[in-house]
Amino acid sequence: MSTLDSKVPSGPLAEKWTKHKNTIDLVNPANKRNIDIIIVGTGLAGGSAAATLAELGYNVKTFCYQDSPRRAHSIAAQGGVNAAKNYQGDGDSVYRLFYDTIKGGDYRSREANVHRLAEVSTNIIDQCVAQGVPFAREYGGLLDNRSFGGVLVSRTFYAKGQTGQQLLLGAYAAMNRQIQRGKIKSYTRHEMLDLVLVDGKARGIIARNLVTGEIERHSAHAVVLATGGYGNLFFLSTYCMGANVMAAWKAHKKGAYFANPCFTQIHPTCIPVSGDHQSKLTLMSESLRNDGRIWVPAKLEDAQAIREGKLKPTELAEEDRDYYLERRYPAFGNLVPRDVASRAAKERCDAGFGVNKTGEAVYLDFSSAIMRYGREKAMTSGMKNADDKTVRRLGEEIIEAKYGNLFQMYEKIVDENPYKTPMKIYPAVHYTMGGLWVDYNLQTTIPGCYAAGEANFSDHGANRLGASALMQGLADGYFVLPYTIGDYLSDDIRTGPISTETPEFDAAEQNVRGRIEKLMSASGQHSVDYYHKKLGKIMWNKCGMSRNAKELQEAMEEIAALREDFWQNVKVTGKADGKNQELEKAGRVADFLELGELFAKDALERNESCGGHFREEYQTEEGEALRDDENFKYAAAWEYTGNPRESKLHKEELVYENIEVKTRSYK
């Protein structure tokens, strides 16, 4: 075990980033024209990085498995993006955003990176407005804000329920400008299958053309991985179906440490599982918790009657409802952080108060907000004595203006009108705080290999606050990586083009072809989805919202056995030298079967509860997470040694000089 060097600059916290930018090496414009950069992934982090680096003069190649960068999973983000603008005058500041993020992550994130994130957050909004992103505005034309979980201010900028889509269109437009200029070469329907190292440095990738099946070599002076998270490890999640860990895992197996893999976010407001037929789950934005109140019946007999269809939620009197978040956490109410809200929902459902047929759902109710907004609208419209029917109609119109597309999506999926009856919600896998370990420059432990956005571990600790994923992705891509990568590339101004005709590229391509051949030649008894579903059930049941040592050990054994069976008996139809989506899935699931074991090992080694990592053995009398700061205040970075369970642990001790580490409370 060794201690990692995060390369955090010295000096006062608020001055570190400015000092770092002023002292790192740069590449002059003439030399940038001679330097190539590969960016894998074209979501918000990758797309913004590609556009910015190309604008600076670098030659950029982008790779995505989708048919367009516009289809990156960033497009699915609904609620908003945080920034410490303090437009509401409610006491927000860079420091408060920094503090909320550290506290929300349960004091398991790197202090300097989080403060930098809070600093550059204000630039994100200016950048996106300049690109034409249609953020919501107040009546007077100023940008509007709303609140998200774990904070006491309104700092979230949003575009109705389509914030990710609008932000991605902004980055995509900036990319297209550079594609037209010839500074970006865009490779769509391509998947990275290996990272190529030359003299210990990342110098290119092996990619597969997903349309033709052709194996291609691509070289560069640096490689940026912006490929998102690994939540599809659980099979059922709110991720898009194609989201995977392949690029990050290939880098891990070449020497990039993987940090905190067990830090996974369970989002409290998702449409519940309806049966084994499902292949994914659907998120209901956290923004709904601004106006929706979460509750379950206060009496077990009422919960049972609702599950049996004998009682409707609208028939239950107010005094017979348990608004359990408001009861347990009065200071934050329904806007507690996601890990807290998810565990509270699980606790109520485990106690028998669940409200759907499976007993795994709680209500998200907008009736109070509808009537409140309706009364305000009636008063401002001169209707002093409006009846309840009129008030409700006016209130529903306001709710529709704020959340209309989300309500429409819910009704299409569930076939219930959320304006008239409460939504049913339950926690689901939504985001991963773990990822490739990176230093302050966003460089992995492989020189020349960088990780941005959700693909790295650096900013959210053990739990991400709502609306901070978009913030980090855009901060990394627009405002951090374009500075820090130049410090590394300044040594490559005389290197010249990187050849793909080298023994290192030969070996990497041979390795890729050998793996594909092995997948295609298995005996063929079970489909890829058969193994993915089995893995997902192991992960959810034994490594999900709550974990314990016995089940984590069992999970490691079961995943290892499943992986062995996979390689012997998986059935991959079709041919390797053409379009083959079963082959694509097989490669991704093979990586999940390795990551899953490391995930369980990481959770087993961390004998504490913090954020989204909840060990049943380590909890307070009230059922809250019980940290062990004396022994586990570190980022766990795992080195690949040939077998996931034999991975070697390296620690980055987390030092907090500007914030008091204390028990996290939202009461």
Side-chain angles (χ1 to χ4, degrees):
M1 184 173 65
S2 63
T3 301
L4 293 165
D5 178 14
S6 60
K7 296 184 174 61
V8 173
S10 60
L13 181 66
E15 300 173 11
K16 287 181 186 292
W17 178 230
T18 300
K19 175 184 177 182
H20 193 59
K21 289 190 293 182
N22 289 340
T23 55
I24 57 177
D25 290 334
L26 303 175
V27 180
N28 81 31
N31 288 326
K32 286 173 183 168
R33 294 194 290 269
N34 301 319
I35 293 178
D36 305 319
I37 299 173
I38 284 174
I39 297 178
V40 185
T42 52
L44 284 181
S48 59
T52 307
L53 290 167
E55 182 75 43
L56 288 171
Y58 295 106
N59 305 311
V60 178
K61 290 182 180 180
T62 62
F63 294 81
C64 66
Y65 67 80
Q66 301 94 341
D67 57 5
S68 166
R70 286 183 58 191
R71 298 179 73 86
H73 186 56
S74 299
I75 205 170
Q78 298 169 354
V81 54
N82 288 330
K85 285 285 198 180
N86 194 30
Y87 282 172
Q88 302 301 313
D90 55 2
D92 199 13
S93 65
V94 167
Y95 181 84
R96 189 172 289 276
L97 174 52
F98 156 72
Y99 172 80
D100 287 342
T101 305
I102 291 281
K103 178 184 175 184
D106 219 352
Y107 304 93
R108 291 295 177 265
S109 49
R110 185 187 294 151
E111 185 182 59
N113 285 58
V114 176
H115 195 278
R116 175 176 66 188
L117 176 65
E119 282 183 70
V120 304
S121 69
T122 57
N123 299 334
I124 293 171
I125 305 305
D126 298 337
Q127 169 87 3
C128 295
V129 168
Q131 289 175 339
V133 173
F135 286 122
R137 295 179 180 268
E138 296 176 335
Y139 179 77
L142 299 177
L143 294 178
D144 195 14
N145 295 110
R146 56 190 178 197
S147 295
F148 264 59
V151 305
L152 294 173
V153 298
S154 295
R155 65 162 68 101
T156 303
F157 295 78
Y158 63 98
K160 209 168 185 179
Q162 310 168 353
T163 313
Q165 178 179 357
Q166 300 303 327
L167 291 172
L168 187 60
L169 288 173
Y172 177 64
M175 273 186 68
N176 270 343
R177 178 172 177 271
Q178 301 305 323
I179 292 171
Q180 190 175 27
R181 292 180 63 217
K183 296 303 293 181
I184 292 179
K185 290 184 179 179
S186 176
Y187 293 85
T188 58
R189 302 295 289 138
H190 279 68
E191 185 161 47
M192 170 184 158
L193 298 184
D194 207 355
L195 180 70
V196 181
L197 272 57
V198 179
D199 296 328
K201 297 180 178 181
R203 292 302 199 190
I205 65 171
I206 305 297
R208 181 173 181 268
N209 184 319
L210 300 181
V211 177
T212 66
E214 183 181 357
I215 305 299
E216 302 175 1
R217 303 179 181 189
H218 296 273
S219 65
H221 297 88
V223 176
V224 178
L225 304 181
T227 48
Y230 47 89
N232 274 349
L233 170 63
F234 289 77
F235 185 69
L236 286 179
S237 76
T238 66
Y239 283 72
C240 63
M241 292 293 291
N244 62 82
V245 75
M246 184 172 287
W249 195 250
K250 297 307 183 229
H252 174 55
K253 295 178 81 167
K254 284 295 181 74
Y257 295 174
F258 209 102
N260 302 334
C262 77
F263 285 174
T264 305
Q265 179 155 94
I266 311 293
H267 198 294
T269 54
C270 302
I271 297 178
V273 175
S274 60
D276 289 337
H277 62 283
Q278 281 182 274
S279 56
K280 77 175 302 295
L281 298 174
T282 303
L283 172 73
M284 287 287 101
S285 170
E286 181 168 322
S287 62
L288 296 174
R289 287 199 274 149
N290 274 272
D291 290 312
R293 300 176 70 192
I294 296 174
W295 64 275
V296 293
K299 301 174 184 176
L300 282 170
E301 56 266 32
D302 288 339
Q304 184 174 350
I306 287 175
R307 287 196 296 272
E308 294 173 354
K310 298 176 181 178
L311 182 67
K312 295 180 179 179
T314 52
E315 297 172 344
L316 210 59
E318 191 73 13
E319 60 269 21
D320 292 327
R321 303 179 179 192
D322 177 17
Y323 296 93
Y324 58 87
L325 290 178
E326 297 174 23
R327 169 172 56 81
R328 292 179 60 178
Y329 309 101
F332 285 76
N334 295 293
L335 285 172
V336 292
R338 292 172 176 178
D339 60 318
V340 177
S342 294
R343 281 195 295 272
K346 183 178 186 298
E347 185 275 329
R348 288 290 80 195
C349 290
D350 288 349
F353 293 93
V355 296
N356 67 348
K357 291 181 180 179
T358 66
E360 294 186 332
V362 298
Y363 286 127
L364 181 62
D365 195 336
F366 292 86
S367 56
S368 295
I370 287 171
M371 297 305 289
R372 183 179 72 250
Y373 285 129
R375 282 190 290 269
E376 290 179 7
K377 182 65 175 178
M379 292 294 288
T380 58
S381 301
M383 293 182 280
K384 306 299 183 184
N385 298 305
D387 57 26
D388 284 351
K389 184 178 180 180
T390 301
V391 168
R392 172 166 282 277
R393 176 180 58 78
L394 294 171
E396 287 180 358
E397 290 173 357
I398 293 173
I399 290 292
E400 183 179 11
K402 292 171 70 116
Y403 310 115
N405 63 312
L406 300 174
F407 277 51
Q408 181 185 40
M409 181 167 61
Y410 179 88
E411 186 169 5
K412 281 188 174 182
I413 294 171
V414 181
D415 196 26
E416 291 181 357
N417 184 347
Y419 295 100
K420 306 300 183 185
T421 188
M423 288 182 178
K424 294 189 190 81
I425 57 167
Y426 194 70
V429 174
H430 175 63
Y431 186 89
T432 54
M433 287 74 67
L436 293 175
W437 184 91
V438 293
D439 61 19
Y440 191 70
N441 294 320
L442 304 186
Q443 186 170 224
T444 69
T445 46
I446 298 175
C449 178
Y450 290 76
E454 191 179 353
N456 74 38
F457 88 106
S458 66
D459 291 353
H460 305 297
N463 175 66
R464 177 176 67 77
L465 292 181
S468 288
L470 304 187
M471 175 174 63
Q472 186 209 348
L474 294 174
D476 286 355
Y478 282 135
F479 302 112
V480 178
L481 189 67
Y483 279 104
T484 60
I485 201 170
D487 189 45
Y488 170 80
L489 292 173
S490 62
D491 292 331
D492 271 324
I493 58 176
R494 294 185 179 87
T495 301
I498 305 296
S499 173
T500 59
E501 302 301 321
T502 65
E504 291 85 356
F505 274 90
D506 292 342
E509 181 178 336
Q510 185 177 356
N511 177 62
V512 165
R513 291 185 181 277
R515 188 171 190 258
I516 291 174
E517 185 178 342
K518 187 177 180 181
L519 286 169
M520 298 297 298
S521 61
S523 68
Q525 293 186 19
H526 302 294
S527 69
V528 176
D529 281 345
Y530 168 86
Y531 290 100
H532 198 177
K533 287 181 179 180
K534 276 186 168 292
L535 174 63
K537 287 186 176 180
I538 295 171
M539 295 302 301
W540 181 251
N541 292 333
K542 299 187 176 182
C543 309
M545 267 194 283
S546 63
R547 306 147 183 186
N548 60 63
K550 177 178 177 293
E551 291 187 338
L552 288 169
Q553 190 64 56
E554 290 172 355
M556 290 178 65
E557 300 302 327
E558 291 173 20
I559 293 169
L562 186 65
R563 184 170 67 245
E564 183 178 353
D565 184 60
F566 170 87
W567 281 106
Q568 292 177 359
N569 297 312
V570 69
K571 180 179 182 179
V572 180
T573 56
K575 298 180 179 179
D577 57 352
K579 184 178 180 181
N580 190 334
Q581 291 186 309
E582 282 300 299
L583 177 59
E584 296 169 31
K585 287 195 294 184
R588 296 163 187 170
V589 171
D591 291 333
F592 283 144
L593 285 164
E594 294 183 350
L595 171 61
E597 191 172 355
L598 179 62
F599 185 116
K601 178 182 177 67
D602 185 47
L604 183 63
E605 293 284 330
R606 189 172 282 276
N607 294 315
E608 66 163 354
S609 292
C610 57
H613 169 63
F614 189 77
R615 284 283 296 271
E616 295 168 1
E617 307 95 323
Y618 307 101
Q619 56 182 301
T620 67
E621 292 181 358
E622 298 174 322
E624 304 290 353
L626 184 62
R627 292 196 323 264
D628 181 354
D629 293 332
E630 183 176 347
N631 296 305
F632 293 97
K633 196 173 65 175
Y634 61 76
W638 296 94
E639 178 184 1
Y640 185 76
T641 61
N643 188 326
R645 70 174 55 208
E646 296 171 0
S647 297
K648 183 179 179 181
L649 175 63
H650 301 267
K651 296 180 180 179
E652 181 196 341
E653 299 293 340
L654 300 172
V655 179
Y656 297 101
E657 298 176 345
N658 298 271
I659 197 168
E660 180 185 356
V661 178
K662 54 187 178 182
T663 301
R664 196 173 58 149
S665 175
Y666 292 96
K667 296 183 178 182

